[in-house]
Amino acid sequence: MTHLQFLESEAIYILRETAAQFSKPAMLFSGGKDSIVMAWLAKKAFHPAHLPFPLLHVDTGHNFPEAIEYRDWFVKEVKANLVVGYVQKSIDDGRVKEEKGINASRNKLQTVTLLDTIEEHQFDAALGGGRRDEEKARAKERFFSHRDEFGQWDPKNQRPELWNIFNGRKHFGEHFRVFPLSNWTEMDVWQYIRQENIPLPSLYFSHQRKIIERHGQLLDTETGFIPLLDEEKPKIQEMTVRFRTVGDATCTGAVLSTASNLDDIVAEVAAARQTERGTRADDKRSETAMEDRKKEGYF
């Protein structure tokens, strides 16, 4: 058995355990490579039936158009049900307050929308594409990660996981996050995408884009979601870039790259000296930015 076959087998086992242990799970789906791989594995896990749970997308309203286009295509392709929670609705309802200023982002606001959507639909498990190699807070996550009735994660109070025995018991109002790709690395994901020839949004492949460099990050200016200072406008450059992660456009940076196919990307990832989330401005707000967000109920 190759390491990819082992990881695939483990993830499919976790997906089936989730379907067996929970009464109303959902799968978080952003149109990013990790959620795409997770949904691809779910297709295999339950073939020839359709996915036994809906795809859940938290729409910040500041998404890359390519990601939304892919999401809608994929939902039709696999005949899945799609549930969307809108951050704009959370803002309009006064549930969250939109940030102002040059570094404003809706990324953190997603937490409230996510928890509201989980509560509205009474989901008792949310499958996520998080991996332990992404960030130190995610390295602490178990496969079955307990959330209290407020959607909060307590890293010091997690269920033991012995071998492949998972404990999905919970009290009323609580739910779980489940991470079938926990043991995967970025390289594993790319090698699996290449092996399976999984279609991806064009953002992941090198292309020309109008970019502004700010604090060492290459930020997209084409979506119009990045507030620009007057002195920055003449500095917009046409660059050949691609994205290693796909998230809210206000905090997701690009990397200079000429990798236009899966072989090139695998080679590029193997030689990369910067971490995958090194392009994410949201992780740089503080040393514990991800852990703080996760404790509040973030993905």
Side-chain angles (χ1 to χ4, degrees):
M1 180 180 282
T2 67
H3 81 287
L4 288 181
Q5 288 172 328
F6 174 84
L7 291 171
E8 178 187 70
S9 176
E10 180 184 65
I12 286 175
Y13 172 74
I14 294 166
L15 286 161
R16 289 173 175 165
E17 275 292 296
T18 304
Q21 291 199 33
F22 297 96
S23 59
K24 196 173 183 184
M27 175 173 283
L28 299 170
F29 189 83
S30 64
K33 66 183 186 307
D34 300 311
S35 60
I36 291 169
V37 166
M38 188 170 57
W40 188 269
L41 290 162
K43 280 177 57 184
K44 286 193 171 187
F46 303 104
H47 179 80
H50 296 315
L51 300 186
F53 33 69
L55 301 182
L56 168 57
H57 181 221
V58 176
D59 184 344
T60 68
H62 288 169
N63 307 286
F64 289 99
E66 295 92 335
I68 296 298
E69 182 181 337
Y70 182 94
R71 178 200 71 183
D72 294 340
W73 170 82
F74 188 87
V75 166
K76 289 181 181 177
E77 183 71 14
V78 302
K79 298 181 174 59
N81 294 321
L82 177 67
V83 173
V84 182
Y86 295 95
V87 171
Q88 184 61 54
K89 182 176 185 304
S90 299
I91 295 171
D92 294 342
D93 291 346
R95 296 278 293 148
V96 293
K97 186 175 182 181
E98 189 156 25
E99 294 181 346
K100 304 293 183 186
I102 194 70
N103 296 310
S105 172
R106 288 184 172 183
N107 188 57
K108 187 177 179 181
L109 309 187
Q110 295 181 90
T111 300
V112 171
T113 307
L114 170 63
L115 295 178
D116 285 351
T117 307
I118 288 174
E119 183 176 1
E120 177 187 350
H121 293 271
Q122 294 293 295
F123 294 130
D124 57 355
L127 288 149
R131 309 187 321 267
R132 290 188 177 120
D133 78 319
E134 283 184 86
E135 208 276 343
K136 53 184 179 292
R138 289 194 162 158
K140 298 179 183 179
E141 288 275 19
R142 303 287 170 85
F143 288 107
F144 277 26
S145 185
H146 175 263
R147 296 296 192 272
D148 67 17
E149 60 184 319
F150 302 106
Q152 297 173 322
W153 172 60
D154 180 359
K156 296 179 181 177
N157 184 25
Q158 300 184 81
R159 304 279 172 80
E161 291 186 340
L162 303 177
W163 300 285
N164 60 352
I165 301 172
F166 303 121
N167 183 352
R169 291 185 181 180
K170 62 190 181 310
H171 296 295
F172 180 78
E174 298 175 343
H175 72 273
F176 274 77
R177 303 288 170 81
V178 181
F179 300 102
L181 306 185
S182 281
N183 283 343
W184 295 52
T185 65
E186 182 188 14
M187 176 61 83
D188 296 329
V189 169
W190 281 112
Q191 288 179 333
Y192 189 74
I193 288 170
R194 182 175 63 176
Q195 172 184 289
E196 301 289 306
N197 197 25
I198 301 173
L200 291 177
S202 57
L203 284 167
Y204 282 115
F205 301 97
S206 67
H207 57 286
Q208 290 282 307
R209 208 167 185 94
K210 292 178 181 175
I211 297 291
I212 182 75
E213 182 173 356
R214 179 187 293 168
H215 308 312
Q217 287 209 297
L218 304 180
L219 298 174
D220 166 83
T221 64
E222 295 188 11
T223 60
F225 298 136
I226 299 289
L228 294 174
L229 297 169
D230 288 340
E231 56 266 35
E232 287 180 322
K233 294 176 182 175
K235 298 179 181 177
I236 295 174
Q237 300 179 61
E238 192 89 21
M239 296 184 183
T240 302
V241 299
R242 71 176 194 88
F243 291 83
R244 289 176 70 181
T245 67
V246 173
D248 187 85
T250 56
C251 62
T252 303
V255 292
L256 292 172
S257 173
T258 57
S260 57
N261 58 60
L262 293 174
D263 286 336
D264 290 347
I265 291 175
V266 168
E268 184 181 273
V269 170
R273 303 302 298 169
Q274 183 185 38
T275 64
E276 178 183 4
R277 291 192 69 92
T279 60
R280 296 289 294 259
D282 48 332
D283 289 352
K284 297 182 178 180
R285 291 196 169 193
S286 76
E287 181 67 22
T288 60
M290 174 63 85
E291 181 151 340
D292 293 342
R293 291 201 305 273
K294 288 184 74 65
K295 286 179 179 176
E296 295 169 358
Y298 190 71
F299 301 95

